[in-house]
Amino acid sequence: MIRKVSKHIVQNEPLLFELSSPGKCGYQLPALDVPPVDPAKTLGAENVRPEIEDFPEVSEFEVLRHFTRLSTWNYAIDLGLYPLGSCTMKYNPRVNEVVARTEGLAWAHPYAPEVLSQGCMEVIAALEQALAEITGMDAVTLQPAAGAHGEFTGVLMIRALLEQRGNPRKKVLVPDSAHGTNPATARMVGYAVENIKSNERGMIDIDVLKRAVTEDVAALMITNPNTVGVFEENIREICGILHEKGALVYMDGANMNALVGISRPGDFGADVMHLNLHKTFSTPHGGGGPGSGAVAVAKALTPFLPSPRLKRNGDFWTWNYDLPDSIGRVRAYYGNFGVLVRALAYIMAHGANGLRQATLDALLNANYLRALLEPNYQIAYDAPSMHECVFSDDRQAKKGVRTGDIAKRLIDYGFHPYTVSFPLIVRGALMIEPTETESKRELDLFADAMASIAREVENDPELVLKAPHSTRTSRVDEVKAARNPIVRWQPRS
Ligand SMILES: *Cc1c(COP(=O)(O)O)cnc(C)c1O
């Protein structure tokens, strides 16, 4: 087997400020042959910055090389496996990009009149319908910009419904395995958060839940499969316990990559959920956005969906703002439209059978990797894995090597690290999600690298503790970088 990396070429690179020399210029244009405009007059003097001190002066070619060289320091999904658990870093088929760049879609103004926007509105309607079908829910909003924003939108709707019924209630239950955005969301919507302990199989403890669900509880926020990659077997019963007490079930759908085409949250009792289109439905992410946190709701919540809603008038789409119970807008425009186009292209290119196959392949890949890694790493829970598997660093910790060290050593083998130290209920977690994208060869290479690191931990732990060795920058002071970041260059005095 040919290993992924031998030695990577990494060139040193100064800042553009340091490359600068006076008089250099990035462009050459003929002299102006019309009277110059005074920007202070057109923009207002207060909006015009005179001289920018030490602004870099570099040639076009220098700029080009600078950024191209910097780009070689990056790792990307287009270079290899990106096994970040929970993040679902799958391949983004290029056909999505082609469709998103279609002139009529790419150049449409979000506030163009309805008569000029029929095609874009049709795209939104088609995606809403497809996602309602996939989730088994009644209606979908595409306004929220990402998963956390979708959670916020969903819990606002829960609150609005309960208020209408006479009592918004006080608490939201969140399992201890939840993503941090769940409790943060509940707090932002004005609820107290109560933690629900998981049992030894990594699932919600039904008896603990039963005791916790009182008339004070507005909702349970549950992730399924949960963040340890385990399907909540008792999900129907769990939903029943909440409903019996007049509470609702919010499902965090970030892990829908394990369910699409196989199981529908609407069928097992969820009342509202978000989908991360930038995870499950293949739109590029990892650089901080844009994303889309589509929210699907059951019938009882539809009156509360964000305004405006699409409405069909004969064969004409209109935006309906006349929604007295709506929680209002959660975002300008109609969501991150370019992401919506990519997601719809992905869904339509796959079709129902293709989506189901992608899910089955994701499950197969995760379980294949789990089997290859289990001889060297401690699996966190015995329960069957879905689309990701979670290990702990128990065996390596005996040699003083922790999950973060193993992750850094992986970089030397040419892989992006897995998710480190999440979920919090697993001590020293290694959370690995290969997605359906990866070939057997890539998975074998990854498992081989992980086995090799496990041997290094036994024979030469220092090698792992000081990794990475092959990158331009090795260990940085993470605490200092987080507490005291210097993000702006200042001229030296
Ligand atoms: C990614 C993720 C979120 C948050 O979604 P964003 O799109 O990053 O805001 C919430 N819950 C889980 C389980 C996730 O993996």
Side-chain angles (χ1 to χ4, degrees):
M1 197 155 50
I2 300 172
R3 286 254 168 94
K4 267 183 81 77
V5 287
S6 50
K7 201 144 184 82
H8 192 65
I9 301 165
V10 277
Q11 303 188 37
N12 283 323
E13 188 61 21
L15 298 174
L16 271 182
F17 298 96
E18 295 162 339
L19 282 172
S20 172
S21 50
K24 279 196 181 175
C25 192
Y27 62 91
Q28 282 176 321
L29 294 175
L32 205 58
D33 60 358
V34 290
V37 176
D38 179 3
K41 279 213 183 100
T42 46
L43 298 173
E46 72 280 12
N47 296 320
V48 179
R49 190 148 59 155
E51 184 61 22
I52 302 175
E53 195 187 0
D54 287 309
F55 196 74
E57 296 175 74
V58 279
S59 74
E60 177 176 334
F61 197 30
E62 280 170 329
V63 173
L64 188 90
R65 277 197 175 149
H66 174 73
F67 286 108
T68 305
R69 283 199 290 255
L70 285 182
S71 76
T72 67
W73 297 1
N74 275 342
Y75 191 85
I77 186 71
D78 289 350
L79 283 172
L81 177 66
Y82 212 120
L84 278 182
S86 221
C87 292
T88 310
M89 302 296 291
K90 61 170 75 175
Y91 173 63
N92 302 299
R94 292 305 182 264
V95 65
N96 302 352
E97 299 302 315
V98 174
V99 176
R101 275 161 214 183
T102 309
E103 209 176 320
L105 298 175
W107 288 83
H109 191 282
Y111 284 156
E114 287 170 354
V115 63
L116 295 178
S117 306
Q118 290 296 302
C120 294
M121 292 162 93
E122 181 79 33
V123 166
I124 293 174
L127 183 58
E128 284 186 359
Q129 201 185 347
L131 297 177
E133 174 67 30
I134 288 168
T135 54
M137 302 293 246
D138 238 66
V140 172
T141 173
L142 301 174
Q143 259 187 43
H149 195 198
E151 291 172 32
F152 178 67
T153 305
V155 179
L156 275 180
M157 285 190 268
I158 289 176
R159 191 177 182 101
L161 172 69
L162 293 175
E163 256 164 16
Q164 199 181 61
R165 288 181 184 166
N167 178 6
R169 303 190 171 195
K170 297 200 176 74
K171 283 194 288 197
V172 167
L173 306 178
V174 180
D176 55 5
S177 59
H179 194 272
T181 51
N182 293 186
T185 294
R187 279 299 296 136
M188 278 187 73
V189 184
Y191 285 115
V193 175
E194 186 173 319
N195 245 286
I196 300 292
K197 252 179 100 63
S198 304
N199 63 21
E200 70 294 340
R201 302 191 66 214
M203 298 180 207
I204 284 193
D205 191 314
I206 294 286
D207 292 328
V208 173
L209 180 72
K210 274 187 182 151
R211 281 195 296 275
V213 183
T214 62
E215 306 286 334
D216 272 347
V217 170
L220 166 72
M221 294 184 85
I222 186 171
T223 310
N224 197 20
N226 61 27
T227 60
V228 292
V230 170
F231 190 85
E232 296 281 355
E233 283 172 1
N234 304 312
I235 186 67
R236 275 176 195 279
E237 190 185 351
I238 289 170
C239 294
I241 293 168
L242 272 290
H243 291 155
E244 208 171 293
K245 286 272 162 59
L248 287 94
V249 176
Y250 183 96
M251 188 172 121
D252 180 329
N255 291 340
M256 271 300 281
N257 216 48
L259 302 191
V260 174
I262 295 178
S263 171
R264 306 196 311 167
D267 296 340
F268 59 62
D271 298 294
V272 45
M273 68 178 294
H274 76 262
L275 296 160
N276 306 61
L277 300 189
H278 47 287
K279 294 179 181 172
T280 312
F281 295 97
S282 169
T283 70
H285 71 298
S292 173
V295 173
V297 295
K299 196 162 193 77
L301 286 165
T302 52
F304 305 96
L305 283 164
S307 153
R309 299 285 302 153
L310 277 175
K311 193 174 165 187
R312 193 78 165 159
N313 225 339
D315 52 8
F316 191 76
W317 288 110
T318 59
W319 286 112
N320 179 17
Y321 290 84
D322 182 21
L323 302 160
D325 292 328
S326 166
I327 59 165
R329 258 188 193 288
V330 294
R331 196 182 183 285
Y333 307 129
Y334 311 108
N336 283 331
F337 184 69
V339 173
L340 308 182
V341 175
R342 287 172 177 86
L344 183 62
Y346 175 80
I347 290 170
M348 293 185 74
H350 276 69
N353 290 333
L355 289 176
R356 183 182 158 82
Q357 190 60 50
T359 304
L360 294 171
D361 291 347
L363 302 183
L364 178 64
N365 277 359
N367 283 284
Y368 178 68
L369 256 193
R370 172 177 167 164
L372 292 183
L373 299 180
E374 261 185 297
N376 296 307
Y377 296 88
Q378 184 59 49
I379 193 83
Y381 295 97
D382 272 341
S385 291
M386 299 289 286
H387 65 307
E388 58 195 358
C389 43
V390 180
F391 296 86
S392 80
D393 63 11
D394 278 1
R395 294 185 205 169
Q396 289 72 31
K398 294 193 182 91
K399 291 277 184 175
V401 175
R402 305 308 311 264
T403 175
D405 305 313
I406 300 164
K408 288 194 195 299
R409 182 64 179 144
L410 256 184
I411 298 170
D412 287 332
Y413 285 85
F415 291 100
H416 193 281
Y418 46 78
T419 294
V420 174
S421 300
F422 177 80
L424 301 175
I425 54 167
V426 176
R427 211 171 40 134
L430 297 71
M431 185 196 222
I432 299 170
E433 179 180 7
T435 81
E436 68 277 15
T437 301
E438 301 303 330
S439 66
K440 180 172 178 299
R441 178 175 186 277
E442 188 78 7
L443 298 180
D444 287 340
L445 285 168
F446 179 77
D448 185 58
M450 289 293 286
S452 180
I453 295 169
R455 283 193 300 275
E456 289 167 359
V457 172
E458 291 304 316
N459 303 325
D460 186 7
E462 276 301 298
L463 181 66
V464 182
L465 289 169
K466 294 220 167 80
H469 303 280
S470 58
T471 51
R472 202 195 66 93
T473 310
S474 187
R475 297 234 167 178
V476 294
D477 185 336
E478 288 173 9
V479 176
K480 202 168 164 201
R483 299 240 168 100
N484 188 21
I486 301 168
V487 292
R488 183 168 171 240
W489 182 84
Q490 301 275 8
R492 290 199 187 107
S493 48

